[in-house]
Amino acid sequence: MRDLLPSTVAVAIAGPDDWTGELLPAEQACLSERAVQTRRRDFAAGRMCARRALRDLGLPKTAVPAAADRTPVWPAGVVGTITHTAGYCAAAAAHTTDIRSVGMDAEQHREINPGVRRLVLLPEEEAAYARLPSGTWWPVVLFSAKETVYKVWYPVVRSWLDFHDARLDLDPDAGTFTARIAPARVDAAGVDDPPASITGRFVIADGLVRTAATLPLR
């Protein structure tokens, strides 16, 4: 993810030991006793990465628990994001004096089933991406980019954003995307200066689709 985000954002990628890393008490309390092993490993790796990213910002060792909606709770004055997929986990964090919000997502580069595809893609997106170069599973790129857009949107607006509430334009040559948020959602946001568009970057390598975006200061 370091290649997709500005230098003001601290990024940490999970290593082999992070998946079984020791959680701080406030983090451990967020895991149900019934949590399956995969959930425990993902959660541990995410928190190990989150704490390294905070350290790289010059902050002391701090727990990153989860809110009731399972979003990470970052220290005051920090925005951040965590993503994980099979065998990959990363976290990013930045000071609120540098950016307004940050989001990122990683997915396996593979075909998604038709039901999920209908949930993710607008009809005009289906038409546009049918014309893109072959050899790439473009629907999963859109899925990942829209996950990133949501992660940027939610901390600012504190409201859900449906996949169809963001229309994406991809530039496959530049490796960039722009999401235009449905005007009705922007108008109903209830906050000052809600983002009407979010621009990010994507890369496809090593069997993964990775996407990331930041929202600049107002």
Side-chain angles (χ1 to χ4, degrees):
M1 293 295 183
R2 172 71 280 153
D3 52 337
L4 300 180
L5 289 164
S7 59
T8 52
V9 180
V11 177
I13 309 298
D17 294 337
D18 290 325
W19 302 90
T20 54
E22 184 177 354
L23 296 173
L24 297 178
E27 297 165 342
Q28 184 65 51
C30 300
L31 274 178
S32 166
E33 293 182 0
R34 297 188 298 273
V36 298
Q37 188 64 19
T38 301
R39 164 70 173 153
R40 291 180 180 277
R41 286 174 57 82
D42 288 347
F43 191 85
R47 267 53 195 181
M48 298 303 109
C49 290
R51 282 192 251 132
R52 277 207 304 281
L54 293 174
R55 180 198 65 194
D56 291 345
L57 292 180
L59 298 176
K61 186 175 182 179
T62 306
V64 183
D69 59 7
R70 297 179 69 171
T71 58
V73 179
W74 299 92
V78 171
V79 290
T81 184
I82 298 173
T83 186
H84 43 71
T85 186
Y88 182 89
C89 179
H95 293 291
T96 54
T97 51
D98 291 323
I99 63 170
R100 194 177 176 194
S101 186
V102 58
M104 64 184 184
D105 183 71
E107 302 290 339
Q108 304 297 311
H109 181 221
R110 61 190 180 194
E111 188 175 11
I112 56 178
N113 71 59
V116 173
R117 184 166 173 158
R118 286 192 295 272
L119 288 174
V120 173
L121 271 65
L122 292 160
E124 55 267 39
E125 290 171 334
E126 282 275 12
Y129 302 129
R131 299 190 294 269
L132 289 178
S134 61
T136 296
W137 296 112
W138 293 110
V140 78
V141 178
L142 264 78
F143 177 87
S144 182
K146 289 192 177 189
E147 286 285 317
T148 282
V149 167
Y150 173 76
K151 290 180 179 181
V152 172
W153 166 274
Y154 184 76
V156 173
V157 181
R158 290 291 168 183
S159 69
W160 298 104
L161 195 67
D162 186 79
F163 284 114
H164 285 187
D165 289 329
R167 185 192 184 284
L168 258 69
D169 291 309
L170 292 182
D171 184 333
D173 295 324
T176 60
F177 64 86
T178 298
R180 291 172 176 80
I181 310 302
R185 296 307 305 271
V186 176
D187 293 343
V191 299
D192 292 337
D193 193 23
S197 67
I198 295 169
T199 298
R201 301 178 64 194
F202 72 91
V203 68
I204 305 162
D206 302 321
L208 292 177
V209 174
R210 295 182 289 116
T211 59
T214 59
L215 190 64
L217 297 177
R218 287 173 286 188

